Each structure stands twice: as C-alpha cells, then as structure tokens.
Amino acid sequence: MKPMYRNSALALLIGTSIACGSAYAADAYSWNNVAPVKTPTASNNNGKTVYFDVSHGGVEGNADWVIDGAFSDFADALVQEGYTVKEYRGVDLNNDGRIRFFDDRVNGANQNEAIITYNAIKDADVFVLAETNRPFTLSEQAALEQFVAAGKGIFFVADHYDADRNLNTWDATEVFNGYNRSDLSKYNMGGAYGDWRNPKSANAGWLVENFGIRFRFNGVDYKQGVSGVVASNKTEGITQGVQPILMAAGATLAVVDPQKAKGLVYFSESDTPVKWRHAKDQGLYFGGAAEGPYAAIAKSGAGKAAFIGDSSPIEDATPKYRRQDNANTKKTYPGWTDSGNAAVLAVNIINWLATPESYQYFDGTNGRVSGVATPTPMAVQEYTDPNNGQPWGTPASGFNAWDTDTYKNNSFNAPYGDGQTNPDPDPDPTPTPGNTVSVEQALAASQGTELVVIGKVTAAVNGIYGLDLTDLNNPSSHIYVKLESAQRSDFNPQLNPSILNQNIIVTGKRNSYMGEPGLRYVSDIQIAPTALSVEQALATAQGESIELTGRVKSALNNIYALVLEDSNNPSFTINVKLEKSQRSAFSPQLNPSILDAQLLIKGVRDSYMSAPGVRQVNSIEVLDGSGSTQPDPNGDLSVSDVLAMNNGQAVVVAGVITSAINGKYALVLSDDNNGSDTLYIKLESSQRGAFSPQLNPSVVGKRLRVEGIKNDYMSHAGVRNVSKLTLLD
C-alpha cells in the first residue's frame, strides 16, 4: 500500500532557522520542513530582503536551486552585501506548519500550498525565480505583476530549452514566457491556468506582454565567455566590472519592446558560440548580437526585472538534495568560482532590482538609454516543438513528477529523508540513468532490481522475442533480454540483423528468461552513445558522464594522471585523473609505452589540476596496439568492412569518391566492389579545399584512403574526426 499522504508533498515551513530537520525523524514530511534563512550582521544590514523561490520546481529532479545547497555562494555574497536571504516555499493554507505540493493541475483540488501569492512575497524587495519547472496559474502571474507594480524586482534565471528537470514537459524558458513550445491541445489547460499553447508570435505571451522580452528556445555552448558586455553607462551601471560570462548550455533572449527591455551581455563579433550537443534543433539560430542578449533587464512601470539564460555561471558545486526520480547524488557546475562566473553581474543585478526608482521605461529621457530590438525575435524553429510535447527524457518506471509519493528519499518534496523507512511493502525500484552498469555487474544484481545495463548485441534469443547481451570487456559473460513487442523490430537480430554487434543500453528488471539470467519488463532501449573527441569533451558540461577518445600526450602530476590530446588537433588537451588500479598500465611515468596510444576513456567531465579534466574514470581501453581496431598493414578496410563495425572504432578505409554531401562539408565514399555500400566522410575545415567534390570536382571517381573514427554523420554511417586523407590514384 502507499503512504497515507497521497499526492502531497514534503511538509515545509518558512521559518527562521537554517538547520534542516533530522534525517531520522519519525514522522513523514518532518525531515526537511524548515526553510533556510541567511542574515547579515547588525552593522552590515541594509534592511532589504531577497526571496529565492523553490515552490515551482527550483530544486526538482536534476535542478539544483536551493540557497543552503547548490546556490549558497550566491546567497552568501548577498548576505555580505547586507541582504537577508530567505528560501520561499509557498503558503501554509491550513496552518499546520507545513507546506505541501498537491497536483492541482490534475486533481483540480484547492489544496496545493506550493504557490505564489502577493501577500506571501510582498515583504521581499527582490524575488529570484530560478529554473522554474512548473507553470504559473493566472493568479500567480497576477501576483508577480502586482509585486513589480509595487516597485519590487524579479530575477528570472532560465537555462537552455528542454531543461525539463522534473520530466513534466516544462522548462524555465516556457514557464517564464507563459507558453509551452508545443501547440498541442493539451497545453490549452483552461481553468486556473488558461491557454499555454505556443502563440507563434514574439509579441504574445505573459513575459513579453509585461516586460517586452522573451526567452528563446535555443541551446548554446560558449564556455570561453560571452564577451559583448554593454557599456555600463547604457545599463544603469549594472555591467560595471563585468567580464565575459561562460555559457554552459544556455539560452538567449529576444528584446521585443526596447523601451521596456534592453540587453546587458551579447555574443560579440569575435565570439564563436556553438550548438549545445544535446540541443533539439539547430541550437544556435543566428549567432552574434542577432541571437539576442544572454543577460538583460526590464523596466515596466514602477518595478524592475532581470534575466539570464543559464544558471551555470551563478551556481556552485554543493547541491543538498538528491534527484527525485532515482535518488542519485547530484553534481552541479561550480560556475560561481569559474573564470567565466557571473558573480559580479548577479550581485549588481540584485542591487539594481532592490533599488526603487520612479522612472517608468527606458524611453531615452533622463539619460535612460533604450534597448535595441532583436532583429528576428521569434525564429521559425521556435514555432514548432521537436519534442512533440514530450518530456526531456523518459521518466523512470514508477516516477511521476506530479505525485510526491514516487519521489526518492532525501530529494526535495520527498516524503522521507535518509534513514527513514517507506511503509510501502512493495516499493517499485527505479533505474539510475546516470549509473549504467556492465553485464557482469547486472549478473550479480538481485532478482527484481531495476537496472540500466550496457552491452553488445550478439544473437537473437527465442526467435523474435529476445536478444543476447554480452559484456563489453568479457565476452564470456552474457545476459538474455526479453523484448517488448514494440522493441522487436528495432532490436531483435532476427528482424533487424544490423543491430548485431551494436552496443546498446537496456533499462529493465533483473530476472530470468529462457532458464538463463535475464532482463525483463524492459522500459527503454537505446543505442549506446559514441565516444567524443577531446575537443567535443571540452565543450561538455561539468558533471556529465562521457566517453571520449584521444592520444596520450604526457604524464601529469607524477603517476596520478595523464594528458589526453585530440587525435585531430593536438592543441586541444584534457587532463585525466587515473584511479589507483589504472596507474600501472596507463600512467606514462610508470609505463612509457602508453605514450601516443589511442585510448577510449569513460568517466565524468570535471576539472583536474585547475584545468578541464575527466575524473571518476570507470574504464580505459587501448584502441591501438594490442587492442587495435586498425586494419592489417597489408591492406585497407573496405567500405563494406567498416559498415559492419561499431561506432567509435578507429578505421583506415579506402573507397571511391562519388559525390559531395552537405555542400562542402563532406563527401560520399563508395565501396570498390559494391557501389550501394557508402560512407559519409565528414571533412575537417583544412581538408575541404582539396577533397570536397563541391570545391574540387576533379576528385570525383578517384580512390581515397581515410583515417578516422567510424561514426554516424547526417544520420548515415560515416567516418568523422578524420586525421588523414590520401588520394590513391
């Protein structure tokens, strides 16, 4: 049976104590019912208060906004400025000392206490909304409007489009704009919420109608730092002392009404931002200032607002709560101390927001410089939803973002903390997507355990109904996977022979199948991600689990680490911290023969020795030498040979150039004996002049040797990270 608090949230109280309730408290909802407060010294108190909102998903799932947790650096800086800082959780409607989240959107019950009302926030001078993941009701939007009309300030901190932290189909860009990217009928919610379908107009939506600005639905990376900082005499002094600010997968904004809103920081002409690798569409629409400001402010009537498109340059690396769907410990980007931090900008913004001023707009009077309208404030890509109204990822089995009974212990809004017992006698275990296990580890797991397993498909099992999954490092270890009906056409080797020898990731329950160790009740199967180059790894956000390939350049920190360089561009390097068991084989100081070896490394993107790095290394594999995937030196691989290989393997392949593909950026290589077998070869910029058939038609029909990594390109089998091209005739 379920706990008695069905569809209710953690008992939370806005109090004056920083301390968290005991993790071993006897009653459900009591382990974390005290919201933190931070206060300045009496001599430093400026008499102003900042509320940080967590009532609408600020610490949901993967998000990390909690002021005594991941954002303590920001809160501490404001206390040093003289502010009192409080965490806002909602309104205690029934006066029981606890604030509970009820799913009012589904149930229609007037019981939800995780809400925003004007009376509850009116004592604050600034209200900070960070990565809000649950939509506002019409009355909540009205409360925020009333707050601004009273001369107060709101700081909207968003992130990239589809940063759906709690897997409920909403991200902060959508919640702040006042509409979902999708125009599906389900987003015309009616009732307390109204119509949240995409209006497909830059001039429509709650944010733009009140503040003259909207968040874009893009996803951009530029960790070098967005450098187009507008002069402080045009930004009310807010940009004084501000340096370029990193963007680790973020969004920009579009200024629609330049008398209400204006940008603070833009991409400069010399900046070279790129699409975030997980972006759902092009990610980067226009580039430069035309992409819109990264940070901005608005003045609409008596009050003020400020905006930034990424939380990374503000947050720190000390999250307090665990993920709600799987109880994983969270890790955040230590942006507050990063070289591209927004610490100065963030504090300057709060100081400006907390200072009432009588002027109404940026209309050019009294020296108030107006903004610059963004040329295309709503791109065509933003009219459509590439997710088709689906959540960012597939929710784990048994997890429901709207039902707090399904939240894992020690996650925000969970019924219980660590050390407490869930009375459900038959808890539904959920997978841990961030912690993929090997087949060998799956074999050792208890029956009924939900697992996420990576392995190689080696055979069909029971005709079309299953498959045999083999351990990547020990082919003698294997497990049978029972396929659901919808999975058979793609993943059963009898129905789809091309899946043989592919690496896949299977989410299911440890069980037996066909009298052998197995996985059943499979909820998800994915093709395993291919390895990144060092250059790509450098663009990956800290805390992400990655696989990367590169060449060993040197030892680092004596025996404890190595430097891995990009196989195609040695100017890109990353530091790899070796675990104790890995040093004898992979430390160049202990084993000089490993120098120049090509490695496949699985670990977590982090920093090491004050530089970009990889830590928590799970495995290292040599891709050349004894573990080589290179061909026999007496002959090149054929195109057909390479088509049968796994992605991520180094290859030397020869074939005939038949045409250009994707303009000047790639070519089609055909098999010498079977012209229907083709590979797409992605050309590096230095290779295009000589080898692109579009730029040099004379290469068509000639035989070409390609050295690179097998990987898909434009959804077709291909070779990328090309290190060498040689014409053979």
Side-chain angles (χ1 to χ4, degrees):
M1 62 179 289
K2 288 288 185 182
M4 61 181 291
Y5 301 103
R6 184 67 182 168
N7 278 326
S8 59
L10 179 66
L12 305 174
L13 170 68
I14 294 185
T16 57
S17 170
I18 298 178
C20 177
S22 169
Y24 296 93
D27 297 331
Y29 300 106
S30 65
W31 69 275
N32 181 39
N33 68 342
V34 179
V37 176
K38 293 173 180 272
T39 57
T41 63
S43 61
N44 192 42
N45 195 327
N46 64 16
K48 297 180 179 180
T49 301
V50 178
Y51 282 2
F52 285 78
D53 176 63
V54 299
S55 68
H56 280 65
V59 291
E60 301 278 4
N62 270 319
D64 305 284
W65 188 272
V66 50
I67 63 172
D68 64 340
F71 284 74
S72 58
D73 283 346
F74 191 5
D76 290 344
L78 294 179
V79 172
Q80 290 296 315
E81 288 282 309
Y83 292 95
T84 297
V85 183
K86 296 184 178 181
E87 183 179 284
Y88 177 82
R89 296 182 173 182
V91 180
D92 184 9
L93 297 176
N94 61 359
N95 296 312
D96 68 349
R98 297 170 174 180
I99 294 173
R100 306 172 193 265
F101 164 50
F102 286 81
D103 179 10
D104 57 7
R105 191 180 72 85
V106 175
N107 294 338
N110 186 27
Q111 302 178 79
N112 182 23
E113 297 180 314
I115 58 175
I116 297 171
T117 69
Y118 175 68
N119 283 337
I121 65 174
K122 66 181 181 181
D123 291 335
D125 296 276
V126 179
F127 194 49
V128 181
L129 294 164
E131 293 203 62
T132 303
N133 262 233
R134 191 160 54 81
F136 299 127
T137 63
L138 297 174
S139 64
E140 287 176 321
Q141 290 176 334
L144 295 173
E145 293 169 29
Q146 187 177 357
F147 184 78
V148 172
K152 309 297 183 73
I154 302 176
F155 189 11
F156 296 87
V157 181
D159 218 290
H160 59 83
Y161 166 70
D162 210 25
D164 173 14
R165 305 304 191 184
N166 59 349
L167 306 180
N168 71 346
T169 79
W170 293 94
D171 66 55
T173 64
E174 297 169 311
V175 174
F176 294 157
N177 284 340
Y179 52 87
N180 196 279
R181 184 169 180 174
S182 172
D183 63 357
L184 293 177
S185 59
K186 70 178 182 178
Y187 293 111
N188 184 5
M189 297 183 287
Y193 289 85
D195 190 349
W196 280 71
R197 292 174 296 177
N198 189 341
K200 301 184 179 181
S201 168
N203 295 290
W206 179 77
L207 197 72
V208 73
E209 290 166 10
N210 283 279
F211 302 105
I213 197 168
R214 62 173 294 270
F215 280 96
R216 283 206 183 279
F217 296 143
N218 51 7
V220 187
D221 252 342
Y222 195 56
K223 298 184 181 65
Q224 295 92 323
V226 183
S227 67
V229 180
V230 179
S232 61
N233 63 351
K234 297 180 180 180
T235 64
E236 319 310 305
I238 295 172
T239 54
Q240 183 69 43
V242 173
Q243 300 297 313
I245 298 171
L246 69 89
M247 179 185 279
T252 60
L253 300 109
V255 174
V256 180
D257 184 344
Q259 289 200 338
K260 287 184 178 179
K262 60 182 176 181
L264 304 177
V265 183
Y266 290 84
F267 293 121
S268 71
E269 292 184 2
S270 61
D271 289 345
T272 55
V274 297
K275 167 189 174 179
W276 179 48
R277 68 188 183 94
H278 296 300
K280 296 299 182 181
D281 55 19
Q282 291 90 335
L284 181 70
Y285 301 144
F286 305 101
E291 196 73 18
Y294 178 27
I297 54 173
K299 187 74 170 73
S300 182
K304 302 173 178 179
F307 318 85
I308 190 168
D310 189 11
S311 63
S312 296
I314 302 176
E315 68 192 42
D316 67 23
T318 58
K320 172 180 175 179
Y321 299 105
R322 296 182 181 176
R323 282 183 52 166
Q324 292 164 331
D325 56 343
N326 57 32
N328 282 0
T329 300
K330 297 185 289 186
K331 184 175 178 62
T332 54
Y333 195 96
W336 192 267
T337 55
D338 193 283
S339 58
N341 68 69
V344 172
L345 177 66
V347 173
N348 287 354
I349 281 174
I350 296 296
N351 287 336
W352 180 73
L353 291 173
T355 305
E357 295 181 272
S358 60
Y359 70 95
Q360 301 286 300
Y361 304 102
F362 301 125
D363 56 6
T365 61
N366 300 316
R368 305 296 178 184
V369 178
S370 61
V372 177
T374 302
T376 307
M378 196 173 195
V380 173
Q381 297 93 321
E382 300 175 276
Y383 293 172
T384 57
D385 174 31
N387 283 350
N388 196 30
Q390 297 302 309
W392 181 10
T394 302
S397 174
F399 173 73
N400 178 0
W402 303 96
D403 182 356
T404 57
D405 286 349
T406 67
Y407 293 2
K408 295 303 180 183
N409 281 9
N410 211 46
S411 62
F412 190 78
N413 280 337
Y416 300 95
D418 281 350
Q420 292 185 317
T421 302
N422 187 327
D424 188 345
D426 184 26
D428 183 19
T430 57
T432 54
N435 293 333
T436 305
V437 300
S438 67
V439 170
E440 284 196 342
Q441 291 170 314
L443 291 170
S446 302
Q447 294 273 64
T449 303
E450 186 110 17
L451 299 168
V452 182
V453 186
I454 186 169
K456 178 184 291 185
V457 180
T458 55
V461 170
N462 193 21
I464 66 173
Y465 299 103
L467 61 85
D468 192 354
L469 197 67
T470 300
D471 192 274
L472 298 181
N473 298 312
N474 183 0
S476 65
S477 294
H478 67 97
I479 195 167
Y480 286 175
V481 178
K482 182 182 184 297
L483 299 171
E484 301 298 321
S485 57
Q487 300 158 350
R488 294 167 191 161
S489 60
D490 289 332
F491 296 102
N492 176 262
Q494 186 169 308
L495 297 176
N496 179 22
S498 66
I499 199 66
L500 278 170
N501 297 315
Q502 291 271 9
N503 294 342
I504 63 172
I505 299 174
V506 181
T507 302
K509 284 188 178 181
R510 177 71 173 82
N511 213 305
S512 60
Y513 182 55
M514 301 295 293
E516 295 283 343
L519 293 170
R520 303 179 68 135
Y521 311 105
V522 173
S523 60
D524 186 57
I525 306 180
Q526 301 177 20
I527 302 295
T530 56
L532 305 174
S533 67
V534 171
E535 181 179 4
Q536 292 168 324
L538 290 170
T540 302
Q542 296 211 39
E544 286 196 28
S545 296
I546 60 171
E547 297 183 17
L548 74 158
T549 61
R551 185 173 289 110
V552 179
K553 178 180 181 180
S554 63
L556 178 67
N557 194 17
N558 297 317
I559 67 172
Y560 299 104
L562 61 84
V563 177
L564 199 70
E565 66 182 13
D566 193 280
S567 300
N568 301 312
N569 189 340
S571 64
F572 292 104
T573 63
I574 196 165
N575 296 342
V576 179
K577 182 182 183 296
L578 299 171
E579 301 298 320
K580 186 175 181 179
S581 61
Q582 299 160 348
R583 294 168 191 161
S584 60
F586 298 105
S587 165
Q589 183 165 315
L590 296 176
N591 179 19
S593 66
I594 201 68
L595 284 168
D596 295 322
Q598 185 85 5
L599 301 183
L600 171 66
I601 296 175
K602 302 176 184 179
V604 176
R605 177 71 174 84
D606 209 326
S607 59
Y608 182 66
M609 301 290 288
S610 302
V614 179
R615 304 177 75 132
Q616 302 177 45
V617 173
N618 297 321
S619 66
I620 304 178
E621 181 182 347
V622 180
L623 294 181
D624 49 19
S626 61
S628 177
T629 57
Q630 299 284 353
D632 185 288
N634 296 320
D636 299 324
L637 293 170
S638 69
V639 169
S640 299
D641 291 334
V642 175
L643 289 172
M645 297 172 64
N646 292 333
N647 280 346
Q649 293 183 288
V651 297
V652 179
V653 57
V656 178
I657 302 173
T658 56
S659 64
I661 191 73
N662 194 21
K664 66 183 180 180
Y665 298 102
L667 60 86
V668 178
L669 194 72
S670 295
D671 192 90
D672 289 317
N673 301 310
N674 182 359
S676 64
D677 284 347
T678 60
L679 289 168
Y680 286 2
I681 311 300
K682 182 181 182 297
L683 300 172
E684 303 299 321
S685 57
S686 61
Q687 300 161 348
R688 295 168 191 158
F691 296 101
S692 165
Q694 180 170 307
L695 299 177
N696 182 14
S698 67
V699 299
V700 174
K702 294 186 177 181
R703 294 190 74 248
L704 179 70
R705 176 184 291 125
V706 180
E707 300 180 28
I709 306 294
K710 181 173 186 278
N711 212 325
D712 292 345
Y713 179 63
M714 298 187 67
S715 301
H716 189 279
V719 178
R720 305 179 68 150
N721 307 108
V722 174
S723 58
K724 188 176 182 180
L725 295 171
T726 307
L727 286 174
L728 300 178
D729 54 20

